[in-house]
Amino acid sequence: MAGQATIMKAKKSWQQKLADDKGLPKTGPVGGEMSKRWGAGPMVIPAPREVDALMKQVPRGMVTTINELRVALARRHRVSFACPITTGIFSWIAAHAAAESAAAGRKRITPYWRTLKTGGELNPKYPGGIPALKRLLRGEGHKFERRGQRSFVAGFEQRLFTPKAC
């Protein structure tokens, strides 16, 4: 091995990860342990760009949740529900792709800070963590409450936006 050059594969950018659909979306029946936890009927595993497109619909001053995105995805694909795991992962990828675009100087980015976890919780895995999310949301008129170590948008239900199934 001495003397051989090692070839390292370049790490994908967040934009590349967002654009890589990996053959998605896919729909199919749910069975076994999964149906006990998430429900019965056909399910969709969305494409990352579908999740990003729904997140872009949320207007200033409003918020949405991963569950609202899942409802729109299920409606779009005419299935019982959308996979909660991949929907959450793809929202995380969309958030980092938006931050990457902002760092490159783009002005119009996906407003990822408006997409909350279930119950109105801020997602600490989004770029900048809780402090950055609070700053962006506070600028749009939102207030916050703490429950233990977690942060939530206070009264988020009054400003809840349901994206339209494209």
Side-chain angles (χ1 to χ4, degrees), residues 85-163:
I85 296 166
T86 55
T87 304
I89 290 168
F90 293 155
S91 74
W92 175 70
I93 289 172
H96 283 277
E100 188 177 80
S101 291
R106 290 198 51 215
K107 299 289 183 208
R108 295 181 57 91
I109 63 167
T110 300
Y112 61 88
W113 55 92
R114 297 176 190 155
T115 301
L116 309 173
K117 294 171 76 172
T118 303
E121 183 180 358
L122 300 181
N123 191 336
K125 294 182 180 180
Y126 281 174
I130 300 298
L133 296 175
K134 281 185 172 180
R135 187 177 62 253
L136 290 163
L137 288 165
R138 193 174 287 119
E140 295 184 3
H142 297 284
K143 297 193 182 324
F144 309 96
E145 56 187 46
R146 300 241 345 155
R147 295 183 209 153
Q149 296 295 312
R150 300 171 6 183
S151 295
F152 296 79
V153 171
F156 80 96
E157 301 91 345
Q158 284 75 43
R159 294 186 174 186
L160 191 60
F161 177 81
T162 301

Side-chain angles (χ1 to χ4, degrees), residues 12 14-26 45-53 76 86 90 93:
K12 281 187 177 181
W14 290 105
Q15 289 293 327
Q16 290 169 322
K17 290 177 184 182
L18 184 64
D20 186 2
D21 287 339
K22 294 182 177 27
L24 299 173
K26 288 184 182 175
I45 299 173
R49 286 185 277 195
E50 287 181 299
V51 174
D52 183 61
R76 177 181 187 173
T86 55
F90 293 155
I93 289 172

Side-chain angles (χ1 to χ4, degrees), residues 63-84:
V63 293
T64 195
T65 66
I66 295 297
N67 282 341
E68 295 295 318
L69 299 180
R70 291 179 56 223
V71 167
L73 289 162
R75 199 175 312 124
R76 177 181 187 173
H77 292 282
R78 295 180 177 92
V79 295
S80 299
F81 64 100
C83 177

